[in-house]
């Protein structure tokens, strides 16, 4: 008799409100502020809000997002941010530098 396996369910990443979980264990919300998926509002440092165009931090991201299927765009953003910024602080430092 075959062993029953529970169904594997993968999380569905939402494009308008995307939580980035960095390797350091810290998290950061990137909220979409208009119809452009790469313009995000980031809440950090106790409630401070900063709006950023992710193209300024990751110039190749735009073409990757455009090539991706709409359902995959959130994952493209998520993994590109994680790939280029190992920690939340590295991301915030890059954001402050722009």
């Amino acid at each position: 008799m075959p062993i029953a396996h529970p169904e594997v369910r993968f999380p569905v990443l939402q494009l308008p409100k995307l939580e980035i979980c960095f390797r350091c264990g810290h998290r950061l919300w990137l909220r979409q502020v208009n119809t452009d998926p790469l313009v995000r509002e980031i809440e950090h440092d106790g409630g401070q809000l900063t709006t950023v165009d992710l193209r300024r931090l990751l110039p190749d991201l735009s073409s990757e997002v455009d090539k991706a299927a709409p359902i995959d765009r959130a994952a493209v953003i998520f993994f590109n941010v994680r790939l280029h910024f190992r920690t939340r602080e590295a991301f915030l430092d890059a954001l402050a530098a722009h």
Side-chain angles (χ1 to χ4, degrees):
M1 177 175 237
I3 299 172
H5 294 284
E7 187 176 323
V8 175
R9 293 183 186 259
F10 295 99
V12 176
L13 298 176
Q14 299 296 317
L15 193 56
K17 186 177 176 184
L18 182 61
E19 183 180 32
I20 304 294
C21 307
F22 293 93
R23 292 180 192 127
C24 63
H26 291 99
R27 298 167 187 240
L28 196 62
W29 284 102
L30 282 71
R31 291 181 179 88
Q32 190 172 334
V33 296
N34 58 30
T35 58
D36 185 341
L38 297 177
V39 176
R40 297 292 172 142
E41 182 178 73
I42 300 157
E43 184 177 337
H44 56 96
D45 298 329
Q48 180 180 347
L49 297 175
T50 302
T51 301
V52 63
D53 185 336
L54 294 174
R55 285 176 278 259
R56 296 187 72 196
L57 302 176
L58 302 166
D60 297 332
L61 183 59
S62 183
S63 64
E64 289 188 45
V65 169
D66 290 342
K67 290 178 198 172
I71 196 166
D72 295 330
R73 289 181 180 155
V76 169
I77 295 168
F78 176 90
F79 287 111
N80 269 280
V81 170
R82 276 191 50 130
L83 177 68
H84 289 88
F85 303 102
R86 298 184 67 77
T87 66
R88 177 182 180 270
E89 291 306 313
F91 179 81
L92 293 175
D93 288 346
L95 181 63
H98 283 84

